[in-house]
Amino acid sequence: MTKLNPSHLFTINQSPHNSQNLLKHTHTHTHTLNFNLKLMATLVIMPQKWPSRLIASSLPKHRLNKSICASIKNNSKSEVRKEDIVIVGAGIAGLATAVALQRLGIGSLVVEQAESLRTGGTSLTFSKNGWKILDAIGVGTDLRPQFLQIQGIVMKSEDGRELRSFNFKDEDQTQEMRAVERRILLETLANQLPTNAISFSSKLKNIEITDNNETILKLEGDSHISAKIVIACDGIRSPVAKWMGFSEPRYVGYCAIRGLGSYPNGPKITDPSILREEAVKLVKNWPKELLNVIESTPDDTIIRTPLVDRWLWPGLSPPPSKGNVVLVGDAWHPMTPNLGQGACCALEDAVVLAKKVAQSLKFGNLTVEDVFRSYADERWQRIFPLTVRANLAGGLLQMDNSAVCSFRNNILVPKLIRLGPMLEHTNFDFEPLNFDSV
């Protein structure tokens, strides 16, 4: 039986304006957590279990043909490595896509600009749709015992008056919500891949499509990769998305201050950072327990992130593919964290795309462009509404108008909000992820 050593994640959404009309939400397990409509926070009880190193996987490295790792010389004498599938970015979307492909017997090369896994940051909240995919790609059973379930939500006004409370299981017995530490998630995913499946210190410099429709990835250091398929999972500020013609994600007007602290037996902080002082100032009227969580958070885990999104307007936004290159996760559809679906949607992208690629390889009846169009059509129907809903939920949380806040606190939340519709977006079905079902 795993011994759980509780630690806490806090997230505070900070608006540049002040407000006197705040609403607090609480995710409950055995401790109280307050979400603030102006300063929204999340608190999750998690075990501290840090893998000491990446364990080399013994799984075979599947490839589509035996010459995939061969090198050739072009006329400029630069070495060109040939690969069938290259994934740009070893974050959550990139590693999940690589693992999903591997489950279907398809190998890939992940290129990552950093020297090692980018394990910084705090944690990500996965609802039942996220856990279904983590199970499908074979890591759910490894992760689930390490993180406690979030039991429900309590909504309170700034003065502590309880407005509503929900228990997830009362509404949906299948609901499952846990916060997973980013470091552990990335290391768990990476451990599913062969030892040479990730190429670190491989920063993408440029993409070229040749006259014979080859996609050439030019990396810093003058190395080149010729790829039949390129899957870009390079995050919110994706250079690949920019190359495709996407605009920069739009700043939504507020930031998140996040930290991962150990409580109550965590390290003693004697010289709090500026961000910690700012966080405490923002939540100074919250319960002492939550202030203690912030005070016990190590300096190097506290970050402030401007929140952005991108609305994929039909007919106005570019398609998520260009030639043999396609976008996955935040590179295509960054969204605010107000529904907790950013990472879940990246996982959904990974399994949907992997399945379509496998079907194309098995039956040979679709071109790469056909596969990408099918992927885009299927995913857009889910991604666009979620992005808009997350943005609107954040707007409600950041509301300043006193009349609107009064309506929210006295009518909307106590009488109109229902948990079922709030969690409807966590329903997501997909076919089994095995080659026989392709």
Side-chain angles (χ1 to χ4, degrees):
M1 180 175 179
T2 303
K3 181 180 179 180
L4 299 179
N5 180 16
S7 61
H8 300 264
L9 164 76
F10 70 83
T11 303
I12 301 169
N13 282 2
Q14 177 192 22
S15 169
H17 308 292
N18 293 321
S19 173
Q20 300 301 318
N21 298 282
L22 309 179
L23 179 67
K24 299 176 181 178
H25 291 202
T26 304
H27 278 308
T28 60
H29 182 79
T30 56
H31 292 261
T32 300
L33 160 70
N34 292 302
F35 281 81
N36 191 300
L37 276 188
K38 197 64 179 178
L39 311 168
M40 187 179 70
T42 56
L43 175 65
V44 182
I45 302 173
M46 295 185 280
Q48 280 187 317
K49 183 177 181 181
W50 300 81
S52 58
R53 61 183 177 86
L54 290 179
I55 303 171
S57 172
S58 60
L59 292 172
K61 186 175 184 179
H62 300 286
R63 290 298 184 194
L64 299 180
N65 61 63
K66 294 182 179 180
S67 63
I68 194 164
C69 293
S71 295
I72 64 173
K73 297 286 185 178
N74 63 11
N75 293 333
S76 65
K77 306 301 183 182
S78 296
E79 184 177 293
V80 178
R81 177 178 179 177
K82 285 188 172 291
E83 293 283 348
D84 282 326
I85 300 176
V86 174
I87 298 171
V88 181
I92 294 164
L95 294 180
T97 301
V99 173
L101 287 168
Q102 181 173 269
R103 299 281 288 188
L104 293 168
I106 303 170
S108 63
L109 173 69
V110 182
V111 294
E112 166 58 44
Q113 65 178 350
E115 296 180 356
S116 60
L117 289 178
R118 293 174 287 113
T119 55
T122 54
S123 74
L124 306 105
T125 300
F126 290 107
S127 304
K128 69 176 181 180
N129 54 324
W131 284 103
K132 286 174 67 174
I133 295 169
L134 291 172
D135 285 334
I137 62 177
V139 298
T141 54
D142 292 334
L143 293 169
R144 188 176 280 105
Q146 302 184 60
F147 303 99
L148 302 180
Q149 282 205 60
I150 300 171
Q151 301 297 310
I153 300 175
V154 175
M155 300 182 180
K156 295 184 178 181
S157 63
E158 186 184 19
D159 59 8
R161 177 168 58 98
E162 183 173 317
L163 304 179
R164 291 290 295 278
S165 64
F166 301 102
N167 185 294
F168 295 143
K169 295 293 185 180
D170 289 344
E171 179 66 31
D172 179 2
Q173 282 294 321
T174 67
Q175 187 56 249
E176 180 178 9
M177 190 174 294
R178 303 171 192 264
V180 176
E181 197 165 338
R182 177 182 170 84
R183 177 194 296 263
I184 296 177
L185 175 61
L186 289 179
E187 292 180 342
T188 302
L189 289 170
N191 285 342
Q192 307 303 306
L193 299 172
T195 54
N196 57 346
I198 306 176
S199 176
F200 294 106
S201 300
S202 300
K203 184 175 182 179
L204 180 64
K205 185 168 63 175
N206 193 20
I207 301 176
E208 289 185 3
I209 299 179
T210 65
D211 293 339
N212 59 355
N213 209 31
E214 273 190 297
T215 301
I216 305 296
L217 303 180
K218 295 187 175 182
L219 308 179
E220 288 190 355
D222 204 31
S223 61
H224 296 173
I225 300 176
S226 173
K228 295 179 181 178
I229 293 176
V230 177
I231 303 173
C233 307
D234 49 343
I236 290 175
R237 304 295 178 185
S238 166
V240 180
K242 185 176 182 180
W243 172 76
M244 287 185 178
F246 281 90
S247 61
E248 286 291 320
R250 183 184 64 90
Y251 174 56
V252 299
Y254 51 96
C255 299
I257 299 177
R258 299 182 175 101
L260 183 64
S262 187
Y263 175 78
N265 298 316
K268 303 296 183 182
I269 305 299
T270 58
D271 183 19
S273 69
I274 294 175
L275 283 180
R276 176 188 285 101
E277 293 174 356
E278 189 171 352
V280 171
K281 185 187 301 182
L282 291 169
V283 297
K284 61 183 179 181
N285 294 325
W286 288 14
K288 178 64 175 176
E289 183 182 38
L290 293 179
L291 298 179
N292 289 341
V293 170
I294 298 175
E295 290 293 348
S296 68
T297 303
D299 287 349
D300 60 1
T301 71
I302 302 177
I303 57 175
R304 178 168 57 187
T305 309
L307 300 181
V308 301
D309 65 9
R310 178 188 287 135
W311 290 25
L312 303 172
W313 292 106
L316 298 178
S317 297
S321 63
K322 182 177 180 180
N324 294 345
V325 184
V326 67
L327 300 175
V328 167
D330 284 345
W332 180 24
H333 49 73
M335 65 180 68
T336 61
N338 300 293
L339 297 181
Q341 285 297 299
C344 290
C345 285
L347 295 180
E348 292 178 8
D349 287 354
V351 297
V352 170
L353 180 60
K355 192 78 170 184
K356 291 182 182 296
V357 168
Q359 289 172 338
S360 175
L361 291 174
K362 182 175 182 179
F363 299 110
N365 58 343
L366 294 174
T367 66
V368 172
E369 290 84 354
D370 290 335
V371 170
F372 290 169
R373 277 192 291 269
S374 175
Y375 159 78
D377 290 344
E378 180 175 336
R379 292 303 296 152
W380 180 87
Q381 299 176 53
R382 178 158 170 82
I383 293 303
F384 182 62
L386 279 176
T387 304
V388 174
R389 284 181 59 191
N391 182 284
L392 295 178
L396 179 63
L397 293 169
Q398 300 295 320
M399 197 65 66
D400 279 323
N401 184 280
S402 59
V404 174
C405 290
S406 177
F407 170 78
R408 178 192 64 201
N409 292 0
N410 296 297
I411 298 176
L412 179 63
V413 173
K415 300 178 180 180
L416 300 181
I417 285 183
R418 296 292 180 268
L419 185 59
M422 286 174 59
L423 298 177
E424 183 182 7
H425 59 267
T426 66
N427 295 316
F428 177 72
D429 294 317
F430 56 95
E431 296 177 5
L433 202 63
N434 57 70
F435 203 75
D436 291 337
S437 68
V438 172

